[in-house]
Amino acid sequence: HQAVLLTSWQERVDAVELPKIIKKHTERFEKGGTNVEIFVEGRASGKQIIQELRRMRLPVREWLPKGPKGALGKVPRTHAATFPFESGCIWYIPSAETLQVIDQVSDFPNAPHDDLHDTVTMAMDIFRRRFLVQMPTDELDDDEYEEDILRRRAEKKRLENRRLYG
């Protein structure tokens, strides 16, 4: 399984405006037939944004990094996120937006901003935990293969039965 970075968006906005902007982006992707899930880091101002997105009935999930306390920093998350890139599992469509992501991730921790970097490490964590990106070294044994099939069926059924409102 591989992933493609299609575009990105980065802009400094007021926290009050952010849920409206997220809703606009969500509607754009849903209009294109994409199942959308919104992940927001559940710290600081993220808590309020999650509450507002839920109030707006958007498909939002709180995300927090997994692992022991010492492993929660950005540098360890960055190291963990590099494996899918190094193994050729992540592709991108060349554009100013995607190249901005690549530049910011490449310049970490010395980049003036790290918002796109944080989004990439969050996405890699979510993709890896959901087995959406698998590397050649991720070979499954027979039991894991059966569990993976059952998990995928359950996830597909969950998405098919997801109610948009309520």
Side-chain angles (χ1 to χ4, degrees), residues 3 23-24 39 42 44 64 67 70 85-86 94 96 113-114 117 137 150 155 157 163:
K23 182 174 179 157
K24 182 178 158 192
F39 291 89
L64 285 170
F85 288 93
E86 290 173 350
H113 305 287
D114 63 2
H117 163 271
T137 57
L150 294 174
E155 180 68 12
K157 187 174 182 178
R163 297 184 322 190

Side-chain angles (χ1 to χ4, degrees), residues 9-27:
W9 173 81
Q10 179 175 299
E11 187 177 329
R12 184 173 294 278
V13 297
D14 293 330
V16 174
E17 294 299 314
L18 188 55
K20 294 175 199 166
I21 294 169
I22 292 171
K23 182 174 179 157
K24 182 178 158 192
H25 285 280
T26 301
E27 289 170 347

Side-chain angles (χ1 to χ4, degrees), residues 2-154:
Q2 299 180 347
V4 178
L5 173 63
L6 300 173
T7 189
S8 71
W9 173 81
Q10 179 175 299
E11 187 177 329
R12 184 173 294 278
V13 297
D14 293 330
V16 174
E17 294 299 314
L18 188 55
K20 294 175 199 166
I21 294 169
I22 292 171
K23 182 174 179 157
K24 182 178 158 192
H25 285 280
T26 301
E27 289 170 347
R28 177 178 155 222
F29 282 100
E30 286 179 335
K31 203 178 282 183
T34 303
N35 286 328
V36 175
E37 280 187 280
I38 303 162
F39 291 89
V40 177
E41 189 168 352
R43 294 191 176 127
S45 62
K47 292 276 192 190
Q48 289 82 23
I49 292 169
I50 291 168
Q51 289 174 349
E52 182 61 19
L53 294 175
R54 285 183 178 152
R55 189 190 68 70
M56 296 168 77
R57 304 264 192 237
L58 292 173
V60 64
R61 291 181 181 242
E62 180 176 349
W63 177 84
L64 285 170
K66 298 286 185 201
K69 270 195 180 243
L72 298 180
K74 290 183 182 190
V75 172
R77 287 199 307 259
T78 302
H79 288 298
T82 61
F83 296 112
F85 288 93
E86 290 173 350
S87 64
C89 295
I90 310 299
W91 298 82
Y92 68 96
I93 297 184
S95 69
E97 292 85 10
T98 59
L99 293 174
Q100 182 181 15
V101 173
I102 292 167
D103 288 344
Q104 194 176 109
V105 171
S106 299
D107 292 345
F108 179 81
N110 300 316
H113 305 287
D114 63 2
D115 298 322
L116 296 173
H117 163 271
D118 292 348
T119 301
V120 168
T121 59
M122 179 193 298
M124 290 304 101
D125 177 62
I126 293 164
F127 290 172
R128 296 285 290 145
R129 277 198 255 152
R130 291 181 168 194
F131 300 100
L132 297 173
V133 171
Q134 288 184 280
M135 299 181 295
T137 57
D138 289 345
E139 292 295 323
L140 303 175
D141 66 25
D142 290 340
D143 291 337
E144 290 172 324
Y145 182 74
E146 292 297 325
E147 287 175 21
D148 185 52
I149 290 173
L150 294 174
R151 184 195 55 74
R152 287 172 195 262
R153 285 183 187 153

